[in-house]
Amino acid sequence: MTLSEQKLSKSATDNAYLLTSVFSELNGAVLNVPAGKVLAAQGEDVRSVFRIDRGFVRICVYTEDGARRIVGFSGAGSIIGLDQLNHPSWNVAVEAVSHCVVVAVPKAFVNRQIEADCRVRDGAMRCLQDEIEQREAHLVMMGILPSSERVHAFLSTFAKLRAREGFLVLPMCRRDIGDYLGLSMETVSRSFTALREMGRIELKGAERFRIVEEQDASVDHRAA
Amino acid sequence: MTLSEQKLSKSATDNAYLLTSVFSELNGAVLNVPAGKVLAAQGEDVRSVFRIDRGFVRICVYTEDGARRIVGFSGAGSIIGLDQLNHPSWNVAVEAVSHCVVVAVPKAFVNRQIEADCRVRDGAMRCLQDEIEQREAHLVMMGILPSSERVHAFLSTFAKLRAREGFLVLPMCRRDIGDYLGLSMETVSRSFTALREMGRIELKGAERFRIVEEQDASVDHRAA
DNA sequence: CGCGGTTTTGAGCTCAGTCAACGTACGTGG
DNA sequence: CCACGTACGTTGACTGAGCTCAAAACCGCG
């Protein structure tokens, strides 16, 4: 696993399909969540597990002194809360970054399905394993990369996750990115500028970006 | 979950007892691992899952450019590798920090037991959930605390995990602590010195330490 | 067109990294 | 037993990446 392959939620969605049967609209409520709304507050009782069907959420941790860290972003297809099934209350907050459509399935129902259906159990374990992998990749990145490289890795991952050509819209603001990458809002902004000036990304306004594919500097051109 | 309650492996061992039946000596090999030895190399095929019965291991990630990050330490009672069950090869390395006694149980057997025994399944899921919680706490700490506070939080956690009075022996060296906390070896050393001079820890040589209980500065003494 | 929020840019400062020297503990072999 | 070597830890001087505070620019919207 290279740093640039660090995941936001890609393989999580690859495995989440194993849980399709559980997150049917028959088993839970379909919620329409406006941007900024809190889906689950830190400390609140865990009642449901969510599947994101549209939009983007951030997973936040608030510390005693009011600081916020974002430990992950998740987009359509991701399942949120499998790691909370044995907790009485949420130890993270789940907040909509953009307008979201979410299926909320009662925790007890999810637990029963895990008990009853070995495909569901397998899917849930794979999702948890993916989450561990994501957190570890995040941790490694935070420890090693300088600011601009972190921002570039973040944008690359985001772009790969979307796997679409052309400019992409970033749903989250600079502060969110900063809280995710362990940088100040200003440093994130400066990194955007630096990457643009280096020709490694293109920007349209503050929200739209495109990764410029770069030659791998480690490739030895003498071979050509 | 406060930062000072951040876990190395405490609750992991609380849940690992649910898997006692799987990690019986009858089901796997008991290994005697000298300090420094690699239990599982990054990239190596996943053949076994381990339970640490004595000693301490570090979970490492090596990047392409040779840098090392430590994503966790685990002590007696912890189970290592449940997050690797669906991976062909280890995406982390497991290395003995001190002399260890380890039970290695074949991956296929663990998978079968998870399939067959719902207590085992439940235990495995709880262990995975704990691991996510640990990684998230680690991530939060890395993003927020300055160097000395990180070292103090690390030592506090280590001490709570051991839950013993008096001086404790740190099995890992300064560089290991640095790679875990995202600090250089020198900064870790300076933090030890600073904490000692502040009277927040006591040291006997480089390896033995004791946390000095401190008054919570946020307590308002006018109330007394 | 003006307003509020977000982003960008600038200036100064600080914490932690690097490089380098020195200290300390331990094990080996003369 | 002591001299030596090696590995680890500590300390110092210097440097620089990123933080803070502050101001300006930009954008969407009523």
Side-chain angles (χ1 to χ4, degrees):
Chain A
M1 174 176 61
T2 65
L3 283 179
S4 55
E5 284 159 10
Q6 180 245 345
K7 291 153 192 170
L8 280 117
S9 62
K10 175 63 173 162
S11 66
T13 66
D14 289 351
N15 285 319
Y17 84 95
L18 293 166
L19 302 177
T20 308
S21 64
V22 178
F23 288 86
S24 149
E25 304 184 1
L26 300 173
N27 302 327
V30 178
L31 308 177
N32 232 294
V33 187
K37 179 113 188 292
V38 176
L39 257 167
Q42 193 171 331
E44 185 182 290
D45 284 0
V46 178
R47 294 205 203 119
S48 305
V49 178
F50 304 109
R51 190 187 61 202
I52 313 300
D53 279 3
R54 203 174 306 177
F56 243 81
V57 299
R58 54 178 180 243
I59 317 292
C60 310
V61 175
Y62 293 90
T63 58
E64 307 96 274
D65 57 1
R68 183 187 72 165
R69 299 261 28 234
I70 295 179
V71 297
F73 291 105
S74 289
S78 301
I79 291 171
I80 312 281
L82 289 174
D83 57 333
Q84 308 286 324
L85 285 172
N86 290 301
H87 279 276
S89 62
W90 287 87
N91 59 15
V92 294
V94 185
E95 302 168 357
V97 167
S98 53
H99 177 268
C100 291
V101 177
V102 175
V103 181
V105 175
K107 160 177 159 173
F109 181 79
V110 177
N111 270 326
R112 250 180 293 137
Q113 290 300 301
I114 287 175
E115 200 87 18
D117 184 338
C118 73
R119 279 185 58 104
V120 171
R121 192 216 59 232
D122 190 51
M125 286 198 58
R126 283 169 185 270
C127 285
L128 292 173
Q129 289 162 350
D130 280 332
E131 206 159 330
I132 292 169
E133 203 172 325
Q134 282 172 47
R135 299 291 179 268
E136 287 181 352
H138 190 177
L139 216 34
V140 170
M141 181 198 65
M142 295 264 302
I144 287 177
L145 297 183
S147 58
S148 291
E149 294 308 316
R150 281 191 223 179
V151 172
H152 190 266
F154 174 77
L155 294 176
S156 291
T157 308
F158 186 86
K160 280 202 187 95
L161 179 59
R162 289 304 178 84
R164 282 183 32 218
E165 294 297 314
F167 282 80
L168 298 173
V169 176
L170 266 185
M172 66 290 284
C173 68
R174 299 289 186 266
R175 178 168 298 283
D176 284 351
I177 298 173
D179 285 349
Y180 178 72
L181 296 177
L183 300 170
S184 70
M185 188 187 61
E186 293 92 333
T187 298
V188 173
S189 178
R190 277 186 252 270
S191 297
F192 270 93
T193 307
L195 289 168
R196 178 170 50 72
E197 287 175 351
M198 283 188 274
R200 299 178 63 193
I201 62 172
E202 288 173 34
L203 292 172
K204 269 189 193 165
E207 294 183 346
R208 303 175 147 271
F209 78 97
R210 198 168 75 81
I211 299 280
V212 177
E213 294 302 329
E214 32 200 329
Q215 305 300 334
D216 184 345
S218 69
V219 171
D220 191 334
H221 290 282
R222 285 173 301 178
Chain B
M1 172 176 64
T2 64
L3 282 179
S4 55
E5 283 160 10
Q6 178 246 346
K7 293 153 189 167
L8 278 119
S9 63
K10 174 65 172 162
S11 66
T13 66
D14 288 350
N15 285 320
Y17 84 94
L18 293 166
L19 302 177
T20 308
S21 64
V22 178
F23 288 85
S24 147
E25 304 184 1
L26 300 173
N27 302 327
V30 178
L31 308 176
N32 232 296
V33 187
K37 180 115 186 290
V38 177
L39 256 167
Q42 194 171 330
E44 184 182 290
D45 285 1
V46 178
R47 296 207 201 117
S48 305
V49 178
F50 304 110
R51 190 186 62 202
I52 314 299
D53 279 3
R54 201 174 308 175
F56 243 80
V57 299
R58 54 180 181 243
I59 317 293
C60 311
V61 175
Y62 292 91
T63 58
E64 308 95 275
D65 58 0
R68 183 187 72 167
R69 301 259 29 233
I70 294 179
V71 297
F73 291 105
S74 290
S78 302
I79 291 171
I80 312 280
L82 289 174
D83 57 334
Q84 308 287 323
L85 284 173
N86 290 301
H87 278 277
S89 61
W90 287 87
N91 59 16
V92 294
V94 185
E95 301 168 357
V97 166
S98 53
H99 177 267
C100 292
V101 177
V102 175
V103 181
V105 175
K107 159 179 161 173
F109 180 80
V110 176
N111 270 325
R112 249 179 291 139
Q113 291 300 302
I114 288 175
E115 200 88 18
D117 184 339
C118 73
R119 280 184 58 103
V120 170
R121 192 214 60 232
D122 190 51
M125 286 199 59
R126 284 169 183 270
C127 286
L128 291 174
Q129 288 161 349
D130 281 331
E131 207 159 329
I132 292 170
E133 203 172 326
Q134 283 171 46
R135 298 291 179 269
E136 287 180 353
H138 190 177
L139 218 33
V140 170
M141 181 199 65
M142 295 265 301
I144 287 177
L145 299 182
S147 58
S148 290
E149 294 307 316
R150 281 191 222 178
V151 172
H152 190 265
F154 174 77
L155 295 176
S156 291
T157 308
F158 186 86
K160 280 202 188 95
L161 177 60
R162 289 305 179 83
R164 282 183 31 218
E165 295 296 313
F167 282 80
L168 297 174
V169 176
L170 266 185
M172 67 289 284
C173 67
R174 298 290 186 268
R175 176 168 298 282
D176 285 350
I177 297 172
D179 285 348
Y180 179 74
L181 297 176
L183 300 170
S184 70
M185 186 187 65
E186 293 92 334
T187 299
V188 173
S189 179
R190 276 186 254 270
S191 297
F192 270 92
T193 307
L195 290 168
R196 177 170 50 73
E197 286 175 352
M198 283 188 273
R200 299 178 63 195
I201 62 171
E202 289 173 33
L203 291 171
K204 268 189 193 165
E207 294 183 346
R208 302 174 149 272
F209 77 97
R210 198 168 74 82
I211 300 281
V212 177
E213 293 304 327
E214 33 199 327
Q215 305 299 335
D216 184 345
S218 70
V219 171
D220 191 334
H221 291 282
R222 285 172 302 180

